[in-house]
Every structure is written in C-alpha cells, then in structure tokens.
Amino acid sequence: MSALERSVPDTAAPILPPPQGGILGPAYRTLSIGIISVVFLIAFEATAVGTAMPVAARELDGIGLYAFAFSAYFTTSLFGMVLAGQWADRQGPLRPLTVGIAAFASGLVISGTAGVMWVFVLGRAVQGFGGGLVIVALYVVVSRAYEERLRPAIMAAFAASWVVPSIVGPLASGTVTEHLGWRWVFLGIPALVVVPLVVALPAIRRTASGPVDPDAPPVAFDRRRIRLAFGISVGAGLLQYAAQDLRWLSLAPGIVGAALLVPAVLGLLPRGTYRARRGLPSVVLLRGVAAGSFIAAESFVPLMLVTQRGLSPTMAGFSLALGGVTWAAGSWVQSRNRTAPYRERLMIGGMVLVALAIAAAPAVLIESVPVWTLALAWAVGCLGMGLVIGSTSVLLLQLSAPEEAGANSAALQISDALANVVLLAGGGAAFAALGGGAVGAAHTVGAAGASASHPAAFAVVFLPMAAVALVGAWVATRLEPADA
C-alpha cells in the first residue's frame, strides 16, 4: 500500500464515531448537516455579497477603496487560518469554529450598517478573520470526526454546497439590492448563522472537541508562528496595494510587503513547498497553483464578457453558473472508492483541463467566436478543479498526524489564499499596464455593443495563468512521498 493510501495513524481512533453507514448515516447525520450548512452559508455570502458590493461602494462614495473591500477579507483570513490551526490542534476545533462564525456574522453586520467606506472595509476585514478561522476548523473536524473512507465524500459534499449559491446567489442578491437596498444583503445573511450553530456545534462537541491527547500537558501557542501570520497578512495587503497603484512611489510598499511576505511564507508552509518536494509539500503547493491560476483568471471573465462582448453583468455572471455543477461533479468523482487508486492521475488530468480552459477563454475576444463557448470551456475547467481541490484536501489529511491536522490544514489554506493574492496582483498589474484601466470607461450597462477593445490586456492575464496551471500538472506527479 502506498503512502497516499495509508490511514491516519491509530491515535485518532478514540475520537471517531462508530462506523455506521455514510456521511448521512446515523453516526454522522447531524454533524454532516451542520458543517455542510456552514459551508453553504460561506458559499452564499461569497456569491451574493460580490453582486451588492459595487452598489455599496457607490452609495458610500468609496469607489477608490473598492479593491480593498476584497483584499481586506483575504489578508485578515490569512491570519485567522494560522491562528485556527494552532488553536484547533491544542484545544480542538469547537472554539475556533464558534468564534469564527461569530466574527463572520459580526463583519457582515458592520459592513451592512456602515455609513462610510472605511467602516465597510473594516467589516470585511472582521469577516475575513472569521472566515479564516472557520475553514481551518472545519478541516480539523473532518480529520477527527470522520473515518478516512468517508473524508472524500464529505469533501464532495462541501463542493456540492456551492452549486445552489453559485446559481441563485447573484440573482437573489441583485433582486434584494434593487428592491430593498444593498444593506439587506449583508444584514440578512447573519440570520442564517443560527442554523449551523444550533445543528453543528453540539455534534462537534460530542465527536471532535478537546485536544487529541487529553492527558498530555497543554502546549502554549507558538508566538513565532503568530508573528509570521501577522507578517503574511500585512505583507499581502501591501503587495496588493502596490499592484493596484502603478506608480514609482508604489514600489516602496511593494518592497516592504515582499520583505514581510517571503520569510513568513517560508516559516508557515511545509519545508520544501516551493521546491515541490515529494509528499505533503507538493500537496500544499499544488493547492496554491490550482486555486491561484484558476481564480485569478476567473476574476477577469465577467469583465471581459461585459466590456468586450457587450453582455449585461447578470448574463456575464450566469456564464459561470454551469461551472458550479461541474465542479461538484469533479469532486464527486474523486470521492468514489473505485477512483481512489487513480487519484494522482485524476489530479494530473484535472490540472490539464484547468490549463486548457484558461487558455481557451480569451478566444471570445474574436467576434466570430460564440460567447457560449466560454461557458462550456469554463465548465470543463471547473470539472478539473473539482478533481484537484477535493483530492488535495483528502491527501493532506491522509499525510497528517492527528496532532498536526490543524497546522497542515492552515498551510493548505494559506497556500490557496496567498496564491490568489499574488497571482491576482500580478495579473491585475499586467492588465493595467496594457491599457486595462481604460476598459469599460465608456461602457454603459445595457448599451448595444462593447466598449473600446483591449484584447492584449486580457490575453496577458489568461495565457500566463494557463502556463501556471500546466506547472500544476507537473507538481501533481510529485504527490507520492519519497519513501512510499
């Protein structure tokens, strides 16, 4: 049996429920419904809030700070991920999950009641911190509460939780924003927090609370890792600011950001990650390469369709809706027992699909190419992402001892979020340098035709990201530990 097929060490056995059925069997039903509800909440927020954000920025006279409403979420989530990893390894996932959900809801309330843009951005920062706590705590819950045979299935359920929000979220948010106002999009979501709190927390307390070894003396928080987490958050924020402001003066915050970021990354990710060392380091690296290349490219798809092909924002958003279904399908495929022996091949193939989809996307810049071809290409890319993202989560838990599940899960999520930040910053800078800042300047939603064409500005985003995805296909060949 290879290392990728081995179980988590037997020290995890005492806190696993008895093996009864699948994730919705008697032993797991309440827990599964609860934590899937948490993921559904996060997914609905992600798809709904993005639709209301432009209206909020306009009404708060804060268009100049619009980008920071996004970056504030990602930068504070990086800190939350590291803190959650240590917290969960030492005291169990219950407390970081509870605090994370509370912070997530509080941030939405702060943003929804904001009278000025800087308060709105502050709310997004609080929300991001909560989101970082929640996502890592959920991974630790899966590691401790579910048998190894069920982990691919619960990861597939997490992916499926994004399908309905990806389709309904933008439409529901647009309707609420138009008829009730953008504030209700932010203020309405916290009411949904009650459901996962009531359902999930008692089940987590029964199955996954407390340290791995209750008899072991408590271990203090690693202050060095906390400092590194703070450095990675501040560094990422400065790097994003520098990439958005293409002036010579912006080099200073960019250099400072890199100086903070590099040592923090080297200290928080497994040794050998950026050399693609076999085993866990390559799993963590692949997660960042896959998520960063795909999300950085996807961020420019609606803008390209609206400004270059004349689609309405709603139709441009719906062009990505099919991807939610195929992503869930890919995650379901990797969750099947019969596909487990071929997981590495599935991941290599998944990254090839991602690269092909990203490379094909700018073809719609040619007027004779039908717009629907991009929707099909992106659905193929999402299928590949479903195969890869679900598999990296499963492999990470297989290669982690129970007492390291929190720290390693945090490393996986840091790789994911940091790659998004860095590749989005790089893609955005290249886009602006080739005239992308003027794209859509004369565009009016609903007007016939598109605004002035800047195809090179889009091509310089998509083609490098496709190359990054191909590098990910190579990284996927190095997931087997050297001693397997």
Side-chain angles (χ1 to χ4, degrees), residues 245-269:
D245 185 15
L246 294 179
R247 296 181 301 170
W248 286 108
L249 290 176
S250 66
L251 284 175
I255 293 171
V256 173
L260 290 170
L261 202 60
V262 172
V265 169
L266 293 177
L268 291 172
L269 298 186

PDB file of all heavy atoms in Angstrom, residues 245-269:
ATOM      1  N   ASP A 245      -1.590  50.287  -7.708  1.00  0.00           N
ATOM      2  CA  ASP A 245      -1.185  51.682  -7.915  1.00  0.00           C
ATOM      3  C   ASP A 245       0.136  51.694  -8.679  1.00  0.00           C
ATOM      4  O   ASP A 245       1.213  51.667  -8.093  1.00  0.00           O
ATOM      5  CB  ASP A 245      -1.034  52.374  -6.556  1.00  0.00           C
ATOM      6  CG  ASP A 245      -0.743  53.857  -6.702  1.00  0.00           C
ATOM      7  OD1 ASP A 245      -0.945  54.397  -7.810  1.00  0.00           O
ATOM      8  OD2 ASP A 245      -0.318  54.482  -5.710  1.00  0.00           O
ATOM      9  N   LEU A 246       0.044  51.711 -10.000  1.00  0.00           N
ATOM     10  CA  LEU A 246       1.236  51.572 -10.849  1.00  0.00           C
ATOM     11  C   LEU A 246       2.003  52.894 -10.957  1.00  0.00           C
ATOM     12  O   LEU A 246       2.085  53.528 -12.010  1.00  0.00           O
ATOM     13  CB  LEU A 246       0.825  51.076 -12.242  1.00  0.00           C
ATOM     14  CG  LEU A 246       0.239  49.664 -12.292  1.00  0.00           C
ATOM     15  CD1 LEU A 246      -0.144  49.313 -13.722  1.00  0.00           C
ATOM     16  CD2 LEU A 246       1.210  48.647 -11.735  1.00  0.00           C
ATOM     17  N   ARG A 247       2.570  53.324  -9.842  1.00  0.00           N
ATOM     18  CA  ARG A 247       3.431  54.492  -9.817  1.00  0.00           C
ATOM     19  C   ARG A 247       4.752  54.107  -9.165  1.00  0.00           C
ATOM     20  O   ARG A 247       4.840  53.128  -8.440  1.00  0.00           O
ATOM     21  CB  ARG A 247       2.776  55.633  -9.024  1.00  0.00           C
ATOM     22  CG  ARG A 247       1.488  56.169  -9.648  1.00  0.00           C
ATOM     23  CD  ARG A 247       0.938  57.308  -8.808  1.00  0.00           C
ATOM     24  NE  ARG A 247       0.652  56.868  -7.439  1.00  0.00           N
ATOM     25  CZ  ARG A 247       0.347  57.703  -6.445  1.00  0.00           C
ATOM     26  NH1 ARG A 247       0.315  59.010  -6.665  1.00  0.00           N
ATOM     27  NH2 ARG A 247       0.090  57.229  -5.241  1.00  0.00           N
ATOM     28  N   TRP A 248       5.793  54.918  -9.432  1.00  0.00           N
ATOM     29  CA  TRP A 248       7.095  54.605  -8.854  1.00  0.00           C
ATOM     30  C   TRP A 248       7.034  54.603  -7.327  1.00  0.00           C
ATOM     31  O   TRP A 248       7.724  53.816  -6.671  1.00  0.00           O
ATOM     32  CB  TRP A 248       8.143  55.615  -9.332  1.00  0.00           C
ATOM     33  CG  TRP A 248       8.543  55.399 -10.761  1.00  0.00           C
ATOM     34  CD1 TRP A 248       8.234  56.170 -11.835  1.00  0.00           C
ATOM     35  CD2 TRP A 248       9.330  54.309 -11.259  1.00  0.00           C
ATOM     36  NE1 TRP A 248       8.763  55.639 -12.989  1.00  0.00           N
ATOM     37  CE2 TRP A 248       9.454  54.489 -12.661  1.00  0.00           C
ATOM     38  CE3 TRP A 248       9.951  53.208 -10.680  1.00  0.00           C
ATOM     39  CZ2 TRP A 248      10.166  53.609 -13.470  1.00  0.00           C
ATOM     40  CZ3 TRP A 248      10.662  52.331 -11.484  1.00  0.00           C
ATOM     41  CH2 TRP A 248      10.760  52.540 -12.862  1.00  0.00           C
ATOM     42  N   LEU A 249       6.203  55.485  -6.764  1.00  0.00           N
ATOM     43  CA  LEU A 249       6.096  55.547  -5.308  1.00  0.00           C
ATOM     44  C   LEU A 249       5.552  54.248  -4.716  1.00  0.00           C
ATOM     45  O   LEU A 249       5.829  53.926  -3.554  1.00  0.00           O
ATOM     46  CB  LEU A 249       5.192  56.716  -4.898  1.00  0.00           C
ATOM     47  CG  LEU A 249       5.756  58.126  -5.125  1.00  0.00           C
ATOM     48  CD1 LEU A 249       4.706  59.183  -4.763  1.00  0.00           C
ATOM     49  CD2 LEU A 249       7.018  58.335  -4.285  1.00  0.00           C
ATOM     50  N   SER A 250       4.779  53.502  -5.518  1.00  0.00           N
ATOM     51  CA  SER A 250       4.187  52.268  -5.003  1.00  0.00           C
ATOM     52  C   SER A 250       5.212  51.144  -4.857  1.00  0.00           C
ATOM     53  O   SER A 250       4.916  50.102  -4.267  1.00  0.00           O
ATOM     54  CB  SER A 250       3.047  51.800  -5.918  1.00  0.00           C
ATOM     55  OG  SER A 250       3.540  51.417  -7.180  1.00  0.00           O
ATOM     56  N   LEU A 251       6.437  51.359  -5.390  1.00  0.00           N
ATOM     57  CA  LEU A 251       7.480  50.352  -5.216  1.00  0.00           C
ATOM     58  C   LEU A 251       7.835  50.175  -3.739  1.00  0.00           C
ATOM     59  O   LEU A 251       8.170  49.069  -3.303  1.00  0.00           O
ATOM     60  CB  LEU A 251       8.732  50.748  -5.999  1.00  0.00           C
ATOM     61  CG  LEU A 251       8.694  50.540  -7.520  1.00  0.00           C
ATOM     62  CD1 LEU A 251       9.964  51.089  -8.155  1.00  0.00           C
ATOM     63  CD2 LEU A 251       8.542  49.054  -7.829  1.00  0.00           C
ATOM     64  N   ALA A 252       7.769  51.269  -2.973  1.00  0.00           N
ATOM     65  CA  ALA A 252       8.156  51.197  -1.559  1.00  0.00           C
ATOM     66  C   ALA A 252       7.269  50.220  -0.774  1.00  0.00           C
ATOM     67  O   ALA A 252       7.786  49.288  -0.133  1.00  0.00           O
ATOM     68  CB  ALA A 252       8.139  52.593  -0.935  1.00  0.00           C
ATOM     69  N   PRO A 253       5.920  50.405  -0.799  1.00  0.00           N
ATOM     70  CA  PRO A 253       5.101  49.418  -0.085  1.00  0.00           C
ATOM     71  C   PRO A 253       5.213  48.016  -0.679  1.00  0.00           C
ATOM     72  O   PRO A 253       5.099  47.021   0.035  1.00  0.00           O
ATOM     73  CB  PRO A 253       3.676  49.955  -0.216  1.00  0.00           C
ATOM     74  CG  PRO A 253       3.703  50.899  -1.360  1.00  0.00           C
ATOM     75  CD  PRO A 253       5.083  51.481  -1.355  1.00  0.00           C
ATOM     76  N   GLY A 254       5.468  47.921  -1.989  1.00  0.00           N
ATOM     77  CA  GLY A 254       5.632  46.607  -2.596  1.00  0.00           C
ATOM     78  C   GLY A 254       6.861  45.890  -2.072  1.00  0.00           C
ATOM     79  O   GLY A 254       6.824  44.692  -1.772  1.00  0.00           O
ATOM     80  N   ILE A 255       7.981  46.619  -1.928  1.00  0.00           N
ATOM     81  CA  ILE A 255       9.214  46.022  -1.406  1.00  0.00           C
ATOM     82  C   ILE A 255       9.042  45.619   0.052  1.00  0.00           C
ATOM     83  O   ILE A 255       9.452  44.533   0.479  1.00  0.00           O
ATOM     84  CB  ILE A 255      10.394  47.007  -1.576  1.00  0.00           C
ATOM     85  CG1 ILE A 255      10.699  47.200  -3.069  1.00  0.00           C
ATOM     86  CG2 ILE A 255      11.618  46.522  -0.834  1.00  0.00           C
ATOM     87  CD1 ILE A 255      11.697  48.299  -3.346  1.00  0.00           C
ATOM     88  N   VAL A 256       8.414  46.503   0.832  1.00  0.00           N
ATOM     89  CA  VAL A 256       8.173  46.185   2.244  1.00  0.00           C
ATOM     90  C   VAL A 256       7.263  44.955   2.356  1.00  0.00           C
ATOM     91  O   VAL A 256       7.491  44.068   3.188  1.00  0.00           O
ATOM     92  CB  VAL A 256       7.549  47.387   2.973  1.00  0.00           C
ATOM     93  CG1 VAL A 256       7.139  47.005   4.395  1.00  0.00           C
ATOM     94  CG2 VAL A 256       8.523  48.554   3.006  1.00  0.00           C
ATOM     95  N   GLY A 257       6.228  44.918   1.509  1.00  0.00           N
ATOM     96  CA  GLY A 257       5.321  43.781   1.538  1.00  0.00           C
ATOM     97  C   GLY A 257       6.030  42.474   1.225  1.00  0.00           C
ATOM     98  O   GLY A 257       5.825  41.465   1.904  1.00  0.00           O
ATOM     99  N   ALA A 258       6.902  42.495   0.212  1.00  0.00           N
ATOM    100  CA  ALA A 258       7.647  41.287  -0.146  1.00  0.00           C
ATOM    101  C   ALA A 258       8.602  40.879   0.969  1.00  0.00           C
ATOM    102  O   ALA A 258       8.772  39.689   1.264  1.00  0.00           O
ATOM    103  CB  ALA A 258       8.413  41.511  -1.441  1.00  0.00           C
ATOM    104  N   ALA A 259       9.225  41.884   1.619  1.00  0.00           N
ATOM    105  CA  ALA A 259      10.153  41.592   2.712  1.00  0.00           C
ATOM    106  C   ALA A 259       9.447  40.933   3.891  1.00  0.00           C
ATOM    107  O   ALA A 259      10.040  40.116   4.603  1.00  0.00           O
ATOM    108  CB  ALA A 259      10.841  42.885   3.167  1.00  0.00           C
ATOM    109  N   LEU A 260       8.190  41.285   4.108  1.00  0.00           N
ATOM    110  CA  LEU A 260       7.417  40.646   5.172  1.00  0.00           C
ATOM    111  C   LEU A 260       6.874  39.289   4.732  1.00  0.00           C
ATOM    112  O   LEU A 260       6.817  38.335   5.519  1.00  0.00           O
ATOM    113  CB  LEU A 260       6.245  41.542   5.580  1.00  0.00           C
ATOM    114  CG  LEU A 260       6.578  42.830   6.326  1.00  0.00           C
ATOM    115  CD1 LEU A 260       5.333  43.709   6.441  1.00  0.00           C
ATOM    116  CD2 LEU A 260       7.120  42.511   7.714  1.00  0.00           C
ATOM    117  N   LEU A 261       6.523  39.208   3.472  1.00  0.00           N
ATOM    118  CA  LEU A 261       5.817  38.035   2.966  1.00  0.00           C
ATOM    119  C   LEU A 261       6.724  36.817   2.831  1.00  0.00           C
ATOM    120  O   LEU A 261       6.373  35.710   3.253  1.00  0.00           O
ATOM    121  CB  LEU A 261       5.189  38.373   1.614  1.00  0.00           C
ATOM    122  CG  LEU A 261       4.015  37.531   1.131  1.00  0.00           C
ATOM    123  CD1 LEU A 261       2.870  37.610   2.110  1.00  0.00           C
ATOM    124  CD2 LEU A 261       3.561  38.021  -0.246  1.00  0.00           C
ATOM    125  N   VAL A 262       7.891  37.003   2.249  1.00  0.00           N
ATOM    126  CA  VAL A 262       8.751  35.865   1.918  1.00  0.00           C
ATOM    127  C   VAL A 262       9.160  35.061   3.152  1.00  0.00           C
ATOM    128  O   VAL A 262       8.965  33.835   3.202  1.00  0.00           O
ATOM    129  CB  VAL A 262       9.989  36.327   1.117  1.00  0.00           C
ATOM    130  CG1 VAL A 262      10.973  35.179   0.957  1.00  0.00           C
ATOM    131  CG2 VAL A 262       9.555  36.855  -0.246  1.00  0.00           C
ATOM    132  N   PRO A 263       9.728  35.688   4.185  1.00  0.00           N
ATOM    133  CA  PRO A 263      10.097  34.876   5.353  1.00  0.00           C
ATOM    134  C   PRO A 263       8.892  34.275   6.058  1.00  0.00           C
ATOM    135  O   PRO A 263       8.983  33.175   6.626  1.00  0.00           O
ATOM    136  CB  PRO A 263      10.835  35.872   6.267  1.00  0.00           C
ATOM    137  CG  PRO A 263      10.395  37.214   5.817  1.00  0.00           C
ATOM    138  CD  PRO A 263      10.124  37.101   4.360  1.00  0.00           C
ATOM    139  N   ALA A 264       7.755  34.973   6.038  1.00  0.00           N
ATOM    140  CA  ALA A 264       6.552  34.436   6.669  1.00  0.00           C
ATOM    141  C   ALA A 264       6.072  33.185   5.947  1.00  0.00           C
ATOM    142  O   ALA A 264       5.697  32.186   6.573  1.00  0.00           O
ATOM    143  CB  ALA A 264       5.453  35.503   6.686  1.00  0.00           C
ATOM    144  N   VAL A 265       6.095  33.224   4.623  1.00  0.00           N
ATOM    145  CA  VAL A 265       5.664  32.061   3.843  1.00  0.00           C
ATOM    146  C   VAL A 265       6.597  30.878   4.090  1.00  0.00           C
ATOM    147  O   VAL A 265       6.155  29.743   4.301  1.00  0.00           O
ATOM    148  CB  VAL A 265       5.620  32.416   2.346  1.00  0.00           C
ATOM    149  CG1 VAL A 265       5.447  31.166   1.495  1.00  0.00           C
ATOM    150  CG2 VAL A 265       4.483  33.395   2.074  1.00  0.00           C
ATOM    151  N   LEU A 266       7.901  31.136   4.090  1.00  0.00           N
ATOM    152  CA  LEU A 266       8.869  30.057   4.308  1.00  0.00           C
ATOM    153  C   LEU A 266       8.711  29.448   5.700  1.00  0.00           C
ATOM    154  O   LEU A 266       8.974  28.262   5.903  1.00  0.00           O
ATOM    155  CB  LEU A 266      10.290  30.588   4.124  1.00  0.00           C
ATOM    156  CG  LEU A 266      10.663  31.026   2.702  1.00  0.00           C
ATOM    157  CD1 LEU A 266      12.069  31.605   2.674  1.00  0.00           C
ATOM    158  CD2 LEU A 266      10.558  29.851   1.734  1.00  0.00           C
ATOM    159  N   GLY A 267       8.265  30.254   6.661  1.00  0.00           N
ATOM    160  CA  GLY A 267       8.113  29.751   8.008  1.00  0.00           C
ATOM    161  C   GLY A 267       6.800  29.058   8.281  1.00  0.00           C
ATOM    162  O   GLY A 267       6.692  28.267   9.223  1.00  0.00           O
ATOM    163  N   LEU A 268       5.786  29.331   7.464  1.00  0.00           N
ATOM    164  CA  LEU A 268       4.443  28.801   7.741  1.00  0.00           C
ATOM    165  C   LEU A 268       4.076  27.599   6.873  1.00  0.00           C
ATOM    166  O   LEU A 268       3.202  26.820   7.247  1.00  0.00           O
ATOM    167  CB  LEU A 268       3.397  29.899   7.550  1.00  0.00           C
ATOM    168  CG  LEU A 268       3.415  31.028   8.587  1.00  0.00           C
ATOM    169  CD1 LEU A 268       2.461  32.148   8.192  1.00  0.00           C
ATOM    170  CD2 LEU A 268       3.060  30.497   9.967  1.00  0.00           C
ATOM    171  N   LEU A 269       4.702  27.456   5.718  1.00  0.00           N
ATOM    172  CA  LEU A 269       4.398  26.327   4.850  1.00  0.00           C
ATOM    173  C   LEU A 269       5.410  25.198   5.080  1.00  0.00           C
ATOM    174  O   LEU A 269       6.515  25.450   5.560  1.00  0.00           O
ATOM    175  CB  LEU A 269       4.422  26.767   3.380  1.00  0.00           C
ATOM    176  CG  LEU A 269       3.395  27.840   2.982  1.00  0.00           C
ATOM    177  CD1 LEU A 269       3.436  28.067   1.485  1.00  0.00           C
ATOM    178  CD2 LEU A 269       1.999  27.482   3.440  1.00  0.00           C
TER     179      LEU A 269
END
